């Protein structure tokens, strides 16, 4: 796992087609000077807007997504007293109940850990070019297109 050190802490960002290892991310942000590890896990749920979901599919403009994820991690390190932050997002098919996005943060105190993790997931959803297709019984729909659809220029 490759980490980037800054003057305020360190971060790791990742896009993967494999299942995200929650334990490995939590262990990776562990720091003996921190009393809190906050782990946010976004999973595929079985229902959305009255439809039975079969699975989700994610696509990304990978180079830009990683760059934007790094900016989010750096901003979190600057705004709160956190030591390490890892942001991982899955691409491809994500079955029901599996993690599609994970934010792991270590901080000396829980308030900064929670604030940094919340900021990271909110900014990721708002700005990072990752697109989600919901496959449901009887159809499919793209969700959260951040201003553009997959494959558009």
């Amino acid at each position: 796992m490759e980490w980037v050190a800054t003057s305020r802490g360190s971060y790791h960002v990742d896009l993967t087609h494999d299942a995200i290892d929650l334990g490995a991310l939590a262990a990776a942000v562990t720091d003996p000077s921190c009393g809190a590890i906050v782990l946010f896990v976004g999973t595929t749920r079985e229902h959305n807007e009255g439809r039975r979901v079969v699975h989700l599919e994610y696509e990304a403009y990978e180079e830009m997504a990683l760059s934007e994820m790094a900016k989010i991690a750096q901003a979190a390190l600057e705004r709160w007293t956190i030591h390490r932050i890892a942001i991982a997002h899955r691409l491809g098919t994500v079955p029901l109940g599996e993690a599609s996005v994970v934010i792991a943060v270590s901080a000396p105190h829980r308030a900064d850990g929670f604030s940094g993790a919340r900021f990271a997931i909110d900014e990721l959803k708002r700005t990072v070019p990752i697109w989600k297709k919901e496959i449901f019984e009887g159809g499919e729909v793209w969700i959260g297109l951040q201003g553009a659809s997959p494959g558009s220029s």
Side-chain angles (χ1 to χ4, degrees), residues 46-129:
E46 66 181 354
H47 286 89
N48 189 38
E49 297 185 7
R51 300 182 294 242
R52 178 157 163 58
V53 175
V54 176
H55 66 268
L56 299 177
E57 294 178 7
Y58 290 90
E59 292 184 17
Y61 177 4
E62 293 186 36
E63 184 177 329
M64 181 181 272
L66 288 168
S67 174
E68 291 301 311
M69 290 163 70
K71 288 177 188 175
I72 292 166
Q74 291 168 10
L77 288 167
E78 290 295 320
R79 287 180 70 176
W80 292 279
T81 303
I82 59 179
H83 290 205
R84 298 188 124 201
I85 181 169
I87 304 172
H89 204 296
R90 192 157 167 193
L91 300 178
T93 300
V94 181
L96 293 176
E98 291 192 17
S100 54
V101 60
V102 177
I103 311 289
V105 175
S106 62
H109 304 283
R110 68 180 176 269
D112 282 337
F114 280 117
S115 294
R118 172 120 195 201
F119 167 80
I121 189 60
D122 288 348
E123 284 299 294
L124 185 145
K125 294 280 224 173
R126 190 176 72 78
T127 64
V128 177

